């Protein structure tokens, strides 16, 4: 017998038939004798609808400024998960399974006061553990907790993944199964490279890089939590037949296991290729090369909540001037340029240049730590395809390369093949 947390995303609970299918997955684990908790998202499209209502309410009420209290935003958008948890509990009860729904505040899941993007501070799993021990299935509304002000607080987009991993850590679950519309983590996006392979295992660090660099399988914060608390996490498909062979395998169910690298016996040099579209490059020309210039640039950008990624600095021959180039999301270019213009005198640059429509392609693998020539292979492969590199950043287990947008798919396929990821 094991203790399992199962999480189901919006597409998995999109309508009553799919909720019933989810209930069949849960029933399989209950009948195997496991203690089960479930975390659910809102039904597909429901959160967007709720957010739209919140955004439009001030306009309907005659307000020119689309301002609203973030606490009321949370009160509205958290209702989507409340509906799903209640419906799934009803489905399970109809199948003869002892189940009840839980809202975040009932557990309780304690968060900070950043409404709309709250972070989990603590979870008291005592009561859920007691109920699970008595054979009751806990159906938890994801994406939400309770803040210090005693108000509902939501965790930001993708927050149900974070809820699931945090609850798994709190109840000391043997594993956390994230059910979604894909059957695991692939070496790259199968829509771009049909030869992409599903990985049986991937290390927490690799998954964290994949998630932060463009892979949409899991939310970044959920992977961080899983890594910190060493929560063994399976990515699985909710659309497979719940009673298909192997679906009830406790140790190796179909899907991809995200785990500590010690569990991975044969580590590949490169595990996967990720990409992120809509990157933009900003260059500041002829900056004074002096202490504090970087702080003068990136301090105001951080205060404006603009996420800066790749940073490249060039030094002039005489050491008096420098060029600084960095990337931001394309949607933040105008905002970033406005911030830089406001601080031009303090920064001291001659001219600013920008270019949107770029793509960041990343090569990821913990095997890079002990293998030389990984970066050279990437550069050589891209050069052979005539793909120009605009910027490069590296870490111990990652190489990120900035290129022109139209070459994105070609670059992904080229690198996937260069490292032999298309071979089974």
């Amino acid at each position: 017998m094991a203790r399992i947390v199962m999480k189901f995303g919006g597409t998995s609970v999109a309508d009553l038939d799919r909720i019933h299918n989810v209930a069949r997955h849960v029933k399989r684990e209950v009948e195997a004798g496991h203690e089960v908790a479930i975390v659910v998202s809102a039904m597909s499209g429901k959160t967007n609808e709720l957010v739209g209502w919140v955004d439009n309410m001030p306009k309907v009420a005659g307000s020119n400024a689309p301002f609203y209290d973030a606490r009321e935003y949370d009160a509205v958008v958290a209702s989507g998960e409340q509906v799903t948890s209640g419906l799934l509990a009803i489905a399970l009860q109809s199948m003869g399974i002892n189940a009840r729904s839980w809202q975040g505040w009932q557990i309780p899941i304690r968060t900070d006061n950043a409404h709309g993007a709250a972070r989990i501070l603590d979870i008291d799993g005592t009561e859920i553990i007691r109920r699970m021990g008595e054979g009751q299935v806990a159906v938890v509304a994801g994406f939400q907790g309770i803040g210090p002000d005693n108000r509902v607080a939501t965790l930001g987009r993708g927050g149900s993944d974070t809820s699931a991993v945090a609850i798994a850590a709190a109840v000391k679950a043997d594993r956390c199964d994230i059910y979604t519309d894909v059957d695991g983590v692939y070496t790259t996006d199968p829509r771009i490279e049909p030869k992409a392979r599903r990985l049986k295992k991937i290390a927490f660090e690799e998954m964290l890089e994949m998630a932060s660099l463009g892979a949409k399988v899991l939310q970044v914060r959920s992977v961080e939590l899983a890594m910190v608390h060493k929560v063994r996490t399976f990515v699985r498909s909710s659309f497979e037949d719940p009673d298909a062979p192997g679906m009830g395998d406790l140790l190796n169910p179909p899907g991809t296991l995200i785990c500590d690298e010690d569990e991975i016996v044969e580590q590949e040099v490169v595990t996967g290729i990720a990409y992120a579209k809509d990157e933009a490059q900003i260059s500041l020309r002829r900056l004074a090369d002096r202490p504090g210039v970087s702080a003068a640039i990136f301090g105001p950008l951080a205060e404006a909540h603009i996420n800066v990624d790749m940073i490249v600095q060039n030094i002039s021959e005489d050491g008096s001037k420098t060029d600084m180039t960095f990337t931001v999301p394309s949607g933040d270019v105008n905002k970033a340029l406005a911030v830089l213009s406001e601080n031009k005198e303090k920064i001291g640059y001659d001219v600013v240049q920008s270019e949107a429509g770029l793509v960041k392609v990343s090569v990821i693998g913990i095997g890079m730590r002990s293998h030389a020539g990984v970066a050279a292979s990437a550069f050589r492969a891209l050069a052979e395809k005539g793909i120009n590199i605009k910027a490069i950043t590296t870490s111990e287990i990652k190489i990120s390369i900035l290129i022109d947008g139209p070459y994105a798919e070609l670059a992904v396929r080229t690198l996937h093949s260069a490292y032999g990821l298309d071979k089974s």
Side-chain angles (χ1 to χ4, degrees):
M1 187 179 76
R3 184 174 292 161
I4 300 172
V5 173
M6 308 168 73
K7 183 266 174 178
F8 294 90
T11 53
S12 303
V13 293
D15 53 40
L16 297 185
D17 286 335
R18 289 191 180 178
I19 291 174
H20 174 249
N21 188 60
V22 164
R24 291 178 59 211
H25 280 286
V26 176
K27 184 181 180 183
R28 179 192 65 236
E29 304 296 354
V30 171
E31 290 182 343
H34 304 313
E35 296 179 0
V36 180
I38 310 153
V39 176
V40 290
S41 298
M43 299 165 81
S44 183
K46 182 56 65 177
T47 300
N48 287 339
E49 181 183 23
L50 293 169
V51 171
W53 289 353
V54 172
D55 287 343
N56 286 314
M57 192 67 253
K59 301 171 190 173
V60 173
S63 172
N64 292 325
F67 171 80
Y68 47 77
D69 188 331
R71 294 168 296 187
E72 304 306 341
Y73 168 95
D74 279 354
V76 174
V77 299
S79 65
E81 282 73 16
Q82 180 171 328
V83 170
T84 314
S85 61
L87 289 173
L88 180 54
I90 291 170
L92 290 167
Q93 291 165 4
S94 301
M95 298 165 73
I97 295 171
N98 180 11
R100 67 152 283 186
S101 63
W102 296 77
Q103 309 313 307
W105 62 268
Q106 292 175 308
I107 294 174
I109 298 173
R110 302 282 180 188
T111 74
D112 63 18
N113 217 17
H115 285 276
R119 299 188 77 86
I120 295 173
L121 301 178
D122 180 61
I123 298 178
D124 184 353
T126 306
E127 185 61 15
I128 280 188
I129 291 172
R130 186 181 72 79
R131 298 288 190 99
M132 287 177 12
E134 294 174 351
Q136 186 178 80
V137 173
V139 187
V140 182
F143 177 62
Q144 60 176 258
I146 183 167
D149 55 2
N150 218 32
R151 300 285 298 268
V152 171
T154 63
L155 309 180
R157 288 304 180 115
S160 291
D161 284 351
T162 304
S163 298
V165 174
I167 288 170
V171 302
K172 296 180 172 53
D174 294 282
R175 70 171 202 239
C176 179
D177 292 352
I178 306 287
Y179 286 82
T180 181
D181 51 3
V182 295
D183 61 353
V185 180
Y186 280 72
T187 49
T188 195
D189 189 339
R191 294 170 298 181
I192 289 180
E193 176 50 87
K195 293 179 182 177
R197 293 181 293 107
R198 188 178 74 189
L199 298 163
K200 285 188 70 66
K201 294 181 179 181
I202 183 171
F204 290 126
E205 287 180 89
E206 292 172 320
M207 191 66 236
L208 187 58
E209 293 285 10
M210 295 275 277
S212 63
L213 293 168
K216 305 296 184 185
V217 180
L218 283 177
Q219 200 249 12
V220 175
R221 280 166 59 196
S222 68
V223 184
E224 289 175 343
L225 268 178
M227 183 166 67
V228 168
H229 296 284
K230 297 194 182 302
V231 176
R232 300 174 83 251
T233 305
F234 277 93
V235 177
R236 307 180 61 177
S237 172
S238 63
F239 298 120
E240 291 188 35
D241 184 348
D243 300 318
M247 288 296 285
D249 188 329
L250 176 63
L251 299 177
N252 293 294
T256 299
L257 172 63
I258 306 166
C259 59
D260 195 271
E261 65 178 278
D262 293 342
E263 285 195 52
I264 302 173
V265 179
E266 293 186 19
Q267 296 174 351
E268 300 289 341
V269 177
V270 171
T271 300
I273 312 295
Y275 68 97
K277 293 183 177 180
D278 297 323
E279 296 283 314
Q281 180 176 272
I282 295 176
S283 297
L284 300 176
R285 303 298 184 192
R286 293 182 293 282
L287 285 159
D289 189 16
R290 55 178 172 77
V293 69
S294 295
I297 297 168
F298 300 115
L301 291 173
E303 289 170 9
H305 305 290
I306 296 169
N307 184 35
V308 174
D309 186 15
M310 309 172 87
I311 301 173
V312 179
Q313 183 175 7
N314 300 317
I315 307 299
S316 62
E317 247 182 77
D318 63 2
S320 63
K321 295 288 183 180
T322 184
D323 293 340
M324 186 81 75
T325 299
F326 56 91
T327 62
V328 299
S330 287
D332 285 340
V333 170
N334 292 335
K335 187 178 177 183
L337 292 175
V339 170
L340 293 169
S341 178
E342 290 169 8
N343 291 272
K344 182 176 182 179
E345 189 174 328
K346 183 180 176 182
I347 297 169
Y349 60 86
D350 279 359
V351 65
V352 61
Q353 299 170 329
S354 64
E355 182 181 5
L358 305 179
V359 168
K360 178 175 62 180
V361 181
S362 302
V363 179
I364 298 151
I366 52 178
M368 289 186 194
R369 290 174 178 153
S370 53
H371 287 78
V374 178
S377 297
F379 304 150
R380 184 167 52 250
L382 294 177
E384 288 172 357
K385 296 295 183 180
I387 300 172
N388 186 45
I389 297 172
K390 292 181 171 289
I392 303 161
T393 58
T394 64
S395 75
E396 209 177 17
I397 65 168
K398 169 207 75 183
I399 304 160
S400 288
I401 301 164
L402 192 68
I403 61 172
D404 288 317
Y407 292 97
E409 294 190 9
L410 176 60
V412 168
R413 288 194 295 268
T414 298
L415 293 173
H416 194 265
S417 176
Y419 295 109
L421 295 176
D422 51 355
K423 297 184 178 73
S424 57

